[in-house]
């Protein structure tokens, strides 16, 4: 596990940022990103908490560029799994 921030952080505000991401530029492909990230995070919660990272410090982001229409759906199972782990889902859509 990488315990160093991916980007430099402001020591005055103690903001730290770790990123694990992937890019998909195929229009018709599907990546189950919520379960991918939770599969990574769930076994590491104890280790993360030991270095001061609480579950409510963690968010999963979906950044989505679109042409003409932006549509997404999430299954109840995915949403329940996020909620049970106290993880926030953030979505950022932008027109390309």
């Amino acid at each position: 596990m990488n315990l160093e921030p991916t980007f430099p952080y402001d020591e005055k505000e103690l903001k730290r940022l770790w990123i694990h991401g992937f890019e998909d530029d195929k229009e018709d492909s599907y990546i189950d990103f919520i379960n991918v990230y939770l599969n990574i995070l769930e076994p590491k919660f104890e280790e993360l908490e030991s270095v001061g990272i609480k579950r409510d410090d963690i968010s999963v982001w979906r950044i989505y560029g679109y042409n003409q229409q932006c549509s997404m759906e999430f299954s109840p199972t995915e949403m329940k799994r996020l909620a049970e782990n106290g993880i926030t889902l953030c979505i950022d859509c932008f027109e390309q």
Side-chain angles (χ1 to χ4, degrees):
M1 171 184 246
N2 179 12
L3 296 178
E4 293 298 319
T6 303
F7 296 104
Y9 60 94
D10 181 347
E11 290 187 38
K12 290 179 187 175
E13 296 186 28
L14 297 175
K15 290 185 178 178
R16 298 178 184 208
L17 177 63
W18 285 261
I19 292 178
H20 176 81
F22 47 88
E23 188 171 330
D24 181 21
D25 57 1
K26 299 177 192 128
E27 288 184 27
D28 294 333
S29 66
Y30 171 75
I31 297 174
D32 186 7
F33 72 99
I34 291 173
N35 286 312
V36 166
Y37 288 127
L38 288 175
N39 289 344
I40 293 168
L41 288 169
E42 284 177 335
K44 301 291 185 182
F45 282 138
E46 188 174 309
E47 187 176 353
L48 289 167
E49 289 171 8
S50 75
V51 295
I53 300 168
K54 298 174 295 200
R55 293 180 192 208
D56 62 359
D57 293 328
I58 299 169
S59 59
V60 173
W61 280 81
R62 169 75 163 140
I63 301 171
Y64 182 75
Y66 68 95
N67 295 317
Q68 299 180 6
Q69 182 179 349
C70 177
S71 300
M72 294 182 204
E73 74 178 48
F74 303 99
S75 75
T77 304
E78 292 168 317
M79 299 307 292
K80 181 180 180 199
R81 192 170 174 201
L82 282 170
E84 287 173 343
N85 283 296
I87 305 294
T88 300
L89 174 62
C90 306
I91 300 171
D92 188 6
C93 299
F94 60 94
E95 191 169 359
Q96 295 181 327

